[in-house]
Amino acid sequence: MDADAQRSTSKTRRSTTQKAIAKTFNPATDPPFLNANQAWVDSVFNTLTPEERIAQLIMIPVYSNKDQAHMDSVSRLVTKYKVGGLIFFQGGPVRQAHMTNRLQSESKVPLMVSIDGEWGLAMRLDSTIRFPYQMALGGIEDEQLIYEMGAEIARQCRRLGIHVNFAPVVDVNNNANNPVIGFRSFGEDKYNVTRKAMAYMRGMQDEKVLANAKHFPGHGDTNVDSHYGLPVIHFSKLRLDSLELYPFRQLMKNGLGSLMVAHMNIPVLDNTDSLASTLSKPIVTDLLKKEMGYQGLVFTDALNMDGVAKYYPPGIVDVKALLAGNDMLLNTMDVKTTIQEIKKAIANGEITQEEVDARARKVLAAKQWLGLDKYKPVEIENLVEDLNNPHAKYLNQQLVQASLTLLRNKNNILPIQNIDTLKVAAIAIGTRQETDFQKGLSRYTKVDTFYLQPTASLAELMALKEQLQEYNLVIAGLHRLNLKAGSSNFGISAEMNLFLKDLIRSKPTIVGVFGNVYSLAELESLDKAHAVIAAYQETPETQDLTAQMIFGGIGAKGKLPVTINNFFRIDDGLRTEGGLRFAYTMPEAVGLRSADLAGIDSLVAQAIAEKATPGAQVLVAKDGKVIYHKAFGHHTYDNERPVQVTDLYDLASVTKISTALAAFMKLSGEGRFDVDRTLGEYLPMMEGTNKENLRYRDILTHQAGLKSWIAFWRETVKKNGKFKWDTFKADSSRRFPVKVADNLYIHRKYADKIYKEIAKSPLNEKPGYVYSDLSFILAPLVVENITGEDFETYLKEKIYRPIGATTLTFNPYKYYKSEQIVPTEYEPHFRKQLLHTYVHDEGAAMLGGVSGHAGLFGNSNDVAKLMQLYLQDGKFAGQTYIGGNTVSQFSKCQFCDQGNYRALGFDRPAKPGQQNSNAAPSAPVESFGHSGFTGTYAWVDPVNNLVYVFLSNRVNPTRENPKLSQLNTRTNVLQVVYDAIDKSKLAQRTNP
């Protein structure tokens, strides 16, 4: 028969076979590429020489972090030998994309590109998202999340031109000392492993990326790392069949696209001495392909690993792997020799050209299913942004949150209650740097930080123990633990163990372990801790979310996927409820899109660029979740200190609703303050004055007739600009103890003069609304008269500390470093200096920095907690701090029928259709809040369950700068949020 006739007969045979396959193809059970378009497969196959068909079975390693010489060497292998695929290792996404595009353009047949991305692209590439390790996923009950992760990883792979991801690991890790699998496994229960692996596989393959189950026939119970040696498995076939092979068998029944064979010696399956399963025909061909009937692509594990490479040289090891029955040779290190050796094997009758051709066609079919018949280069523009998309970031948060496993919760210490009764120390064990865990904890209350290195001396241990004596709660994080099992006890030193054991015995201790979950076995007395949290790994997300779980921002729901010891066993995991305090998350958590809030960044950037303010903080919380929290710009225009979200701002008139009004509402809820009673009744010094009968309902709505303000400081200055002798001094003394600014102290009785000046001030000639500071200046005296307590102490002890708003304070110079406090104005007329750490308002300064109209400092996070208390009508973290539905009553419009649209102390939106710069256009009439002269703003919207805080120092360097108000930055930023909410509602109606 001539060559043409042979090809015709062969083509007819193939066509008949493929029709049979297509006819019987079951998408639920068969590898998806079995249904590939055979016309494309035939057309490509028929262009290939015998050597090129062999080359289709070869996949070579590529690194995007190496030099041009490496790139050129890979290029030569692609162009000269026509290899079938690439496996990318370490590097970066943009560099890899450029390399992929070049190599694909040089390849005769589109290359199958693969990666080892068990926890996503970040396993190999920088600038990408790191999803949780599989051990953490094993603790998640919601398998839909794992499906979505698989789908997202696949979308990212496709975006980067990757077609095969060597995941999931389906090894059942029932050996705690396993040096190579361990944290890479879903756990020790074969059913749990199978369910999680199935979800991961389906997610990827539904998005057209080939999943790869590994490491066949099961690498979970080994004590040798096959990267460095050959593990020997002495199990019976019954044990292998019932345990190790179970997940593989189940995935095969459900359409598994590919599989990887491990480098292990398994005498019960092949008793050839020192022969890896990868090179074993009884294992790959007889067991996997014939007995188990697997039709998907079979990959070797990397052929440069010592499990095989130390027994056979490159080229020889490859041909042995092909003879064993593998379809794809991974990490071929000598392409030329490999092709030569395979040709020799064909010539020697060890394998036929038909067998090679069948595998080449199988590879081509997979390529067609993967879309390589319509290959397009990777688009470089926006690549990194696309790979780090908000959906993926939020999904990662969800996965981490669902995995966190609470193993001890003595006396239900978590979530932490009554934080005002606690003095909290947060210790980072294993590092000397502030951790994301400590930062996360400090968002909820004041937390003092300490550190313990693994090599700490006994003297250092004793010194730290002494420092901790004054604390009644310690939260310890274990950091920088070794990832793999070995002789180092995961890096847990005897000193660390001794310290933690003594700490747990001496006081309430919460322990978060940020590392391999098996490390819990190395920590003595851990079972006696008040709380133990397994976080599985150390990432910013695990630390942040563990802190949130401790304080009740989120709940605990993970389950331990392995047994650690008698105290921590498989399926252990206690549940707690979230929502007690703020969760810190993304817009997607409340149904909004991060992209729809991008306008906030633009508006603040515009304000800074136009010098409306040097910097700002913006916080948005919805449904009890902080979905946006950023700092912008610098403290001043001429310094290099960037604004941090933890920095304190002068809140200016936001002080009114945060101090005086907070106290009035609390007292009203207790029946100790009534807005229909008069100023004279609450403040005896006003008896006999024109203020005596002013009703508080009128006072708080600014229609009581009070003057807008009084420039008290002017009474202290002589015509020559110098201070009068009895008002200020440069040094403190018994007569001048009240600090007003640097080198400036006011007379101890000057406050009385201010109060008397208010008392004798005339009322407005005409009735009606006039915004006034005066009653709020008197508010501390009213509160002290009702309670018998100092105004600032009352606020801190009764409201701020219980809700964790610990940065809310007067005179922050007493408590914080100056670099943590944002300066305001350079004031030329009174104090004649840059106002930094001191209140901007002159009147508040002359009162020693404490007033009800101005003087409060704080950061956006703590202002938001107070606003959340208002949003929840006086309730926070399960406690009632303002009773009687008082906030909802105070926040209502009191005299709308008279044209005064203010609430009691709060600002509100104007009449519908009327321009009012104090509220965003879409703010509902039920919303309320206040703005501040220094460029601050706080707003509460009970309709949309929304809290918004904007802090800036627009008065730096001068108050004569109106640009922030002219730009309407504060309300425009809030309008961006309303627009995002509207878009979300529209999307829900469109896609119910």
Side-chain angles (χ1 to χ4, degrees), residues 966-983:
Q966 290 172 351
L967 291 170
N968 278 334
T969 303
R970 290 172 286 185
T971 52
N972 285 346
V973 166
L974 181 54
Q975 185 59 41
V976 170
V977 181
Y978 283 123
D979 291 343
I981 292 171
D982 289 342
K983 288 179 184 177

Side-chain angles (χ1 to χ4, degrees), residues 458-472:
L458 186 59
E460 288 172 320
L461 292 176
M462 294 305 294
L464 181 54
K465 182 180 177 182
E466 183 65 27
Q467 286 179 291
L468 295 175
Q469 287 298 319
E470 60 181 293
Y471 295 88
N472 58 2

